[in-house]
């Protein structure tokens, strides 16, 4: 009879493990900001609407890959926080549910699609960060321009994300290409590559690696810099003279969702000044004007960009990137 | 008895103690094994016999005491430097080698030239009658054949002492009998000092020059099979080496001239021949009555010495003997009647008379008797 | 089956005829069901990967393979991967063997502590060591600063070291169980015949352990080349196939190229799997009294003792320090940057949820895996049908498949209707079930070989139906195998990253993925705290399982998951 007891115990374990935690109102979302910012956004939504957002942390690049892989049967109801390229791609392929949200009236063009396919909850940029202690130890100062990064003295001391997996890195790439033009831009990227120690998977990783002093300089997303400064990392940041690029943090409703109403409710919430205030506090440039945590009231100098073209060119540029930068293995 | 003839101690154990943690498994063992002698450690499981064997072989450290092999103290020598060879219960043949490779392993290790190894291996295989099996793998052999290979391997280096750990326990009953005779013959021929461990008391008696009966980490008695069987030192040994009927009694008188003692029991008085010196009138004793020593016959008429009456409770015919259970008063006695074919047959409830021989052994009772 | 002919003869009414037919053919029906399951959840995903690697927009093409072999980058990646696998396997086997030797043959005093240190990392994610190494030996690491080292951690050597530390426990576990089942009398016999310790190792121990060594080697090789955590964190610019595959799928969403990389990753594993099978042919040594026994401590000669003690101390020390670092890091805001003592890392709710999910997935996987394992073992041993050896091959080959491959395979095979499974607990659980099936099946097979078919026949003879016999006789006897499969699947599933990372969905994060993300993101404190929590909870679970089986006195083969 012991066998039976064990069988009962095993069966019980099995049932408990399988039983899902079914909550009142839930929505599945791909969220591409940092884990704690995802949590802040999810909490804000939960507090204001009562909807629980189930989320995984993935980089922008990964979310785009996922959406492409899953189309047209998505595992999530919506995306809160993907790169602009994903937004344009979704619009082009009809993967998004257009929704003209009344809550978004009056925001600038860069923050919403005219048809309501995507909404931009906040622009972010990329920065140059340095490790104060290591700079001081080496007796160096922060570079004033992007070109200064090409100085051989930085060889092996710079990290940046890989455009193959990171949306931030894609932004860096199209920003440099826009700044210098295609031909000169690629030359810059190639020259910079000589000094790059390695390319990280996530766009925020350089902030941490430089903050820990593993490397002296990093090109990184600006979204987490504020938090790392607060945490006590000996970081210093700057926007070099040429200016910086930007990307949107898009939100959109995915085709096939069974929770359209909830998704719409969330989109509406994302257009409110309160939400903008939250995003600005985190460090984003928001659709509704609010004081930015990192930059304050004076916004950095921006490079002139066409986000739509950047999205279209992404695949092509990935190929060029691989062809040009993976040559040292010959 | 080859051992008694030259009486040169080949292996001496002096007050051996062995602890596992705080658990004392050997509590002071002293023993001498003479050259060419076959000594058997026998006892119930957990008595420490295998541990003792492993101590002699060098696989386990002694906690206290000395092991002296051929006059040299070997306590600190590892097995590979001791001139003892062991045959394990499971043979421990190397399954990735052929029979010949197994037998020649020790020779190879000890740097013998190839030719000599070959010659010696074939000599050994011939000795154990496995000449044709040299190239076989171990798992293609029967249990008995594996036993022989293990034996040949252990003998290959002509050890001073051969240690056999329950070598026959994995064989079936008939094969066991054959193999034990073979081992004995070979041992006598090679005149090799051998320590044999078994839990089978009959095997022990059949094969040994001397038995060492152990219990709870102590030696209970050392002696020839005859001594152990006929003059057991205590109740445990008496019961361990064969079935025994005990009968309580009191010594009422001694006749020093006739070497006899009179013993009063609740079932009557018996006259018993006396070998022990330490028995005095008035001693409480235990009569050790072996089933085969008792004579049983029908009817219970004239009162004679050493005869008591009883009632037959069961009669089991088993060819060479019949096992009879007889109730004498409140006592049941088991009696083996040999060659029942030519003897009286009994049936249930027969009145029988039972004659206790004068040769029964007397055990002086201690104050607290082990139950 | 004896029941088959018997019951076929007695065909009474039509209702009982169906019953008789079922009764007689149940083992075949069972085999068919299991075959379908294997085909569906093991073979189909692999075939999906194969197909994807040769199907372009315009049908069949070898373009992707051409692209792979034309690029020196991939070639380099492949070479690095194989080199990593080979070095790692060799080092892990040597260290694992030394550890196993010391804990089964060495002094009593050392056995327990060595064993605990060697086994604990088994329930921690493999890339934990990358974290510790960065904290200690990174360019700004504690040790680097203290000793002013100039060692470049990021690159091949860093990956090799972290990966080796990560897989020592697995090597140890497998080799220890091999050594435990090796009759110590064999070595003692050799010792007795005059062999020195080194000679015993060379002529007896190692040759007899060959099957176990081969198997451990194969498993470590496969897991090493598929596990991408350490390579992704410490690889720097050194390419390896597993992280490349990961980036290709998750970053570039190039499934064609990703499939090609996977297939290239499978190829060496399959080759080694066949070499392993070939070498083991006819090497199944039977040793009398092969019950696991702890051998008595040996007087180990200095010639062996010095290197063994050195190697084991170094390895155990390194593992211990890495764990201590993780433990310390879990209590600091950011260890090595701001040494502020905090408890917040432990209170992170998302990691609790992830751990909870991981345990759920692993439990479901363990239950299904153990049941299927036992059933498979049964049909493999007792069944007499066409394709039996194929089923055996298939169910034992799971462990020779890199996790990434089955991860991508599941993503390709089960992401669209009618077989849509993505986005839930089942796809994760099933993936773990079929990857880690081999252990339960093997334990089941060896257990069944110990039972005589007569026992079942006796039961059938007494009039029991096939089902009754199975439930009353076979299952109880196979219970230890069930437990072995259960615990192994549970523990492996909970820390495995290589496959599940492709399959997690929003709302269903797993601890292994969560820790990896936190680590990559720089949240060392949270990554460490989650690891510690995970280790403690898994140890708790295993302890409870042990307790249950001990209570029910069914756990003779329990205690450790046989490998």
């Amino acid at each position: 009879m012991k066998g039976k007891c064990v069988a009962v115990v095993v069966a019980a374990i099995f049932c408990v493990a399988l039983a899902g935690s079914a909550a009142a109102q839930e929505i599945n979302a791909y969220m591409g900001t940092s884990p704690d910012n995802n949590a802040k956004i999810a909490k804000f939504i939960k507090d204001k609407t009562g909807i629980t957002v189930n989320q995984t942390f993935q980089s922008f690049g990964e979310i785009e890959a996922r959406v492409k892989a899953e189309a047209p049967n998505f595992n999530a109801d919506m995306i809160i926080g993907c790169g602009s390229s994903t937004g344009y791609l979704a619009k082009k392929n009809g993967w998004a549910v257009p929704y003209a949200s009344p809550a978004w009236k009056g925001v600038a063009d860069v923050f919403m699609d005219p048809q309501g396919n995507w909404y931009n909850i906040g622009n972010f940029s990329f920065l140059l960060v340095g490790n104060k202690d290591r700079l001081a130890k080496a007796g160096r100062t922060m570079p004033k321009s992007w070109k200064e990064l090409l100085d051989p003295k930085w060889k092996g001391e710079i990290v940046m994300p890989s455009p193959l997996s990171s949306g931030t890195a894609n932004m860096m790439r199209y920003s440099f290409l826009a700044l210098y033009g295609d031909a000169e831009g690629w030359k810059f990227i190639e020259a910079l590559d000589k000094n790059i120690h390695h390319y990280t998977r996530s766009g925020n990783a350089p902030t941490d690696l430089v903050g820990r002093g593993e490397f002296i300089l990093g090109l990184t997303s600006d979204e987490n810099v504020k938090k790392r400064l607060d945490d006590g990392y000996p970081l210093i940041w700057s926007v070099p003279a040429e200016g910086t690029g930007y990307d949107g943090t898009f939100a959109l409703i995915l085709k096939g969702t069974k929770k359209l109403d909830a998704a719409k409710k969330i989109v509406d919430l994302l257009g409110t000044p309160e939400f903008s205030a939250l995003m600005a506090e985190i460090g984003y440039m928001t659709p509704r004007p609010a004081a930015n945590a990192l930059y304050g009231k004076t916004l950095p100098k921006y490079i002139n960009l066409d986000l739509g073209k950047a999205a279209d060119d992404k695949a092509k540029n990935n190929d060029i990137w691989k062809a040009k930068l993976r040559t040292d293995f010959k | 008895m080859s051992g008694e003839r030259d009486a040169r101690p080949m292996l001496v154990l002096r007050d051996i103690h062995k602890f596992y943690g705080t658990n004392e498994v050997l509590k002071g063992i002293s023993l001498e094994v003479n050259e060419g002698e076959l000594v058997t450690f026998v006892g119930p499981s957990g008595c420490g016999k295998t541990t003792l064997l492993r101590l002699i072989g060098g696989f386990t450290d002694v906690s206290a005491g000395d092991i002296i092999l051929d006059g040299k103290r070997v306590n600190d020598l590892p097995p590979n430097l001791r001139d003892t060879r062991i045959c394990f219960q499971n043979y421990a043949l190397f399954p990735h080698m052929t029979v010949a490779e197994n037998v020649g392993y020790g020779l190879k290790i000890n740097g013998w030239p190839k030719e000599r190894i070959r010659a010696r291996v074939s000599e050994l295989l011939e000795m154990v009658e496995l000449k044709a099996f040299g190239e076989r793998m171990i798992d293609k052999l029967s249990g008995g054949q594996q036993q022989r290979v293990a034996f040949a391997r252990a003998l290959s280096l002509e050890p001073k002492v051969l240690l056999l750990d329950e070598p026959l326990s994995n064989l079936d009953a008939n094969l066991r009998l054959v193999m034990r005779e073979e081992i004995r013959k070979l041992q006598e021929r090679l005149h090799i000092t051998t320590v044999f461990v078994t839990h089978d008391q009959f095997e022990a008696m059949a094969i040994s020059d001397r038995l060492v009966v152990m219990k709870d980490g102590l030696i209970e008695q050392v002696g020839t099979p005859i001594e152990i069987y006929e003059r057991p030192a205590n109740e445990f040994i008496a019961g361990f080496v064969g079935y025994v009927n005990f009968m309580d009694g009191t010594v009422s008188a001694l006749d020093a001239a006739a070497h006899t003692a009179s013993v009063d029991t609740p079932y009557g008085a018996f006259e018993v021949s006396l070998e022990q010196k330490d028995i005095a009138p008035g001693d409480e004793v235990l009569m050790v009555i072996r089933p085969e020593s008792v004579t049983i016959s029908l009817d219970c008429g004239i009162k004679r010495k050493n005869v008591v009456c009883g009632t037959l409770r069961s009669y089991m015919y088993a060819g060479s003997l019949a096992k009879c259970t007889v109730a004498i008063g409140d006592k049941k006695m088991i009696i083996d009647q040999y060659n029942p074919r030519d003897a009286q047959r009994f049936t249930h409830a027969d009145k029988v008379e039972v004659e206790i021989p004068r040769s029964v052994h007397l055990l002086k009772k201690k104050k607290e008797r082990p139950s | 089956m004896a029941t088959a002919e018997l019951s076929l003869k007695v065909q009474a009414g039509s209702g009982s005829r169906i019953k008789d037919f079922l009764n007689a053919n149940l083992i075949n029906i069972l085999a068919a069901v299991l075959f379908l399951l294997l085909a569906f959840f093991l073979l189909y995903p692999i075939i999906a990967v194969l197909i994807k690697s040769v199907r372009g927009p315009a049908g069949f093409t070898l373009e992707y393979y051409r692209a792979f072999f034309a690029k020196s980058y991939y070639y380099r990646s492949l070479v690095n991967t194989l080199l990593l696998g080979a070095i790692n396997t060799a080092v892990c086997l040597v260290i694992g063997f030394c550890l196993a030797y010391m804990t089964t043959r060495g002094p009593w005093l050392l056995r327990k502590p060595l064993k605990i240190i060697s086994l604990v990392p088994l329930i921690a994610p493999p890339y934990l060591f990358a974290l510790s190494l960065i904290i200690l030996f990174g360019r700004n690491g504690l040790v680097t600063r203290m000793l002013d080292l100039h060692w470049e951690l990021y690159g091949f050597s860093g990956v090799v070291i972290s990966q080796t530390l990560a897989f020592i426990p697995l090597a140890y576990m497998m080799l220890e169980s091999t050594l435990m089942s090796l009759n110590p009398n064999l070595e003692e016999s050799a010792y007795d015949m005059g062999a020195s310790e080194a000679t015993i190792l060379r002529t007896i121990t190692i040759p007899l352990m060959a099957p176990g060594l081969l198997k451990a080697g194969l498993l470590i090789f496969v897991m090493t080349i598929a596990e991408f955590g350490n390579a992704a964190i410490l690889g720097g610019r050194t390419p390896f196939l597993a992280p490349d595959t990961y980036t290709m799928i998750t970053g570039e969403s190039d499934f064609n190229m990703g499939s090609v990389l996977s297939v290239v990753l499978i190829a060496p594993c399959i080759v080694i799997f066949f070499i392993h099978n070939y070498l083991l042919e006819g090497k199944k040594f039977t040793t009398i009294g092969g019950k696991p026994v702890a051998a008595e401590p040996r007087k180990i000669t200095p010639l062996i003792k010095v290197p063994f003690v050195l190697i084991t101390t170094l390895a155990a020390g390194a593992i211990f320090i890495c764990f201590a670092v993780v433990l310390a890091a879990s209590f600091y805001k950011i260890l090595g940057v701001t040494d502020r003592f905090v408890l917040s890392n432990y209170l992170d709710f998302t990691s609790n949820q992830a751990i909870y999910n991981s345990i759920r997935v692993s439990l479901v996987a363990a239950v299904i895996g153990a049941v299927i394992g036992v059933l498979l073992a049964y049909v493999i041993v007792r069944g007499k049908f066409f394709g039996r050896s194929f089923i055996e091959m298939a169910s034992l080959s799971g462990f020779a498949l890199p996790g990434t491959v089955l991860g991508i395979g599941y993503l390709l095979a089960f992401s669209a209707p009618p077989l849509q499974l993505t986005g839930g607990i089942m796809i994760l659980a099933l993936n773990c079930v079929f990857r880690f099936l081999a252990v339960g099946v093997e334990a089941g097979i060896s257990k069944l070989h110990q039972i005589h078919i007569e026992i079942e026949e006796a039961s059938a003879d007494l009039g029991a139906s096939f089902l009754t016999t199975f439930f009353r006789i076979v299952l109880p006897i196979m219970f230890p195998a069930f437990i072995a499969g259960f615990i192994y699947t549970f523990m492996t599933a909970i820390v495995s990253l290589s496959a599940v990372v492709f399959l997690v969905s929003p709302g269903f994060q797993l601890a292994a993925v969560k820790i990896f993300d936190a680590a990559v993101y720089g949240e060392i404190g949270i990554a460490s705290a989650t690891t510690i929590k995970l280790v403690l909870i898994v140890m708790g679970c295993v302890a409870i399982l042990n307790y249950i089986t001990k209570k029910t006195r069914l756990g003779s083969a329990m205690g450790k998951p046989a490998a």
Side-chain angles (χ1 to χ4, degrees), chain A residues 95-156:
Chain A
W95 296 339
V97 180
Y99 166 53
S101 167
W104 281 79
K105 281 226 170 77
V107 302
D109 285 355
V110 72
F111 287 110
M112 68 176 283
D113 176 53
Q115 286 80 45
N117 281 295
W118 52 259
Y119 292 91
N120 180 356
I121 57 174
N123 276 334
F124 66 98
S125 296
F126 63 102
L127 295 174
L128 185 65
V129 289
N131 184 292
K132 272 191 213 164
D133 299 347
R134 297 235 11 227
L135 278 169
K137 208 173 154 201
R140 298 181 196 172
T141 51
M142 282 289 278
K144 296 278 185 299
S145 73
W146 295 118
K147 287 274 187 198
E148 277 180 51
L149 294 179
L150 306 185
D151 188 326
K153 75 177 177 186
W154 299 115
K155 187 164 172 57

Side-chain angles (χ1 to χ4, degrees), chain C residues 7 10-23:
Chain C
S7 48
V10 221
Q11 289 183 348
S14 68
S16 79
R17 203 178 303 159
I18 292 168
K19 223 167 127 196
D20 284 343
F21 175 80
L22 274 178
N23 204 4

Side-chain angles (χ1 to χ4, degrees), chain C residues 63-86:
Chain C
E63 176 55 31
Y64 303 112
Y65 283 96
R66 205 192 56 76
F68 179 90
F69 288 105
K71 286 221 170 77
S72 59
Y73 174 84
Y74 291 124
Y75 173 71
R76 184 61 166 271
S77 186
L78 176 63
V79 170
N80 283 341
T81 304
L82 295 180
L83 208 58
L84 169 72

